[in-house]
């Protein structure tokens, strides 16, 4: 899960970056409006509204115009009601007033990501990747033409990977797709992946990408 942190105070930005990374997020820090608008695509933006080279509200408006499904949380010292209303009206999904706790910010991030995952368009047609054939509507899987019986979570993991075959998905992305959270019991995802591999009969079909997560082999 990739977060763009837009914060003009470099000390605060460094601290927040470290804390978010410890929670499993990939973070890019932008200290200016210009850097924020030039940053690579991301899943969610934490946006300070007080920036040295422009108004964060303009940045929010521009980011929203580019991507209607992008999650945007305004993180700012502007705490007046009129500021919160304006921020939400120009495109922010949520508004957090400084100072705040990381526990609160984490909860708001997870809540927003759950909503954006549900809103994002998802292909519902039959997917064929190498020897595996997935029918999302019927929730059936064929491996070399033979049916494979999967649990609900195993099917959801496979479907998540199959939507982007050959692309490494982070553990956090898969957890969010399947469990609607980036946190769960220790090794929960690993246990389900191990069972999925065994049932597919081809352990190498779901590849581990060290330090990242998993991907579905395309050949």
């Amino acid at each position: 899960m990739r977060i763009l942190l837009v914060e003009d105070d470099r000390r605060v930005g460094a601290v927040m970056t470290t804390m978010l990374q410890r929670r499993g997020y990939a973070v890019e820090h932008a200290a200016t409006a210009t850097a924020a608008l030039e940053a690579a695509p991301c899943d969610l933006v934490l946006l300070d509204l007080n920036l040295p080279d422009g108004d964060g509200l303009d940045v929010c408006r521009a980011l929203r115009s580019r991507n209607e499904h992008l999650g945007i949380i305004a993180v700012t010292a502007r705490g007046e009601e009129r500021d919160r209303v304006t921020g939400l009206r120009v495109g922010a999904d949520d508004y957090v007033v400084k100072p705040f706790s990381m526990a609160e910010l984490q909860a708001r991030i997870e809540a927003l990501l759950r909503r954006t995952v549900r809103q994002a368009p998802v292909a519902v047609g039959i997917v064929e990747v190498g020897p595996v054939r997935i029918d999302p509507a019927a929730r059936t899987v064929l491996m070399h033409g033979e049916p494979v019986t999967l649990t609900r979570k195993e099917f959801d993991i496979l479907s998540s990977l199959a939507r982007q075959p050959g692309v490494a998905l982070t553990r956090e992305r898969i957890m969010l797709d399947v469990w609607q959270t980036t946190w769960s019991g220790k090794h929960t995802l690993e246990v389900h992946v191990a069972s999925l591999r065994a049932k597919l009969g081809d352990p190498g079909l779901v590849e581990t990408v060290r330090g990242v997560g998993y991907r579905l082999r395309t050949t």
Side-chain angles (χ1 to χ4, degrees), residues 109-215:
I109 289 172
E110 289 195 1
L112 179 54
L113 290 175
R114 284 196 296 270
R115 295 200 297 272
T116 55
V117 165
R118 288 196 295 268
Q119 293 168 357
V122 176
V124 294
I126 293 174
V127 179
E128 295 190 49
V129 183
V132 66
R133 184 178 189 270
I134 305 166
D135 186 337
R139 295 186 68 84
T140 58
V141 175
L142 298 179
M143 184 71 174
H144 296 295
E146 296 296 324
V148 179
T149 302
L150 302 178
T151 66
R152 177 180 176 182
K153 295 302 185 187
E154 291 164 357
F155 182 90
D156 290 344
I157 291 169
L158 182 60
S159 294
S160 179
L161 294 169
R163 285 197 287 271
Q164 299 184 71
V167 176
L169 299 186
T170 65
R171 288 174 172 81
E172 292 73 29
R173 175 80 258 176
I174 300 170
M175 291 293 297
L176 191 64
D177 282 348
V178 178
W179 281 272
Q180 286 74 56
T181 181
T182 57
W183 293 91
S184 188
K186 187 177 182 181
H187 303 314
T188 295
L189 178 58
E190 287 79 359
V191 169
H192 281 81
V193 169
S195 177
L196 172 62
R197 285 168 167 163
K199 290 181 178 181
L200 291 174
D202 182 355
L205 186 62
V206 178
E207 300 178 321
T208 299
V209 181
R210 187 177 299 276
V212 179
Y214 300 95
R215 70 175 163 229

Side-chain angles (χ1 to χ4, degrees), residues 24 32 39 47 53 65 80 89 122 128 138 149 160 199 208 217:
T32 66
L47 176 62
D53 61 337
S65 68
E80 297 295 327
R89 282 180 173 170
V122 176
E128 295 190 49
T149 302
S160 179
K199 290 181 178 181
T208 299
R217 194 185 70 214

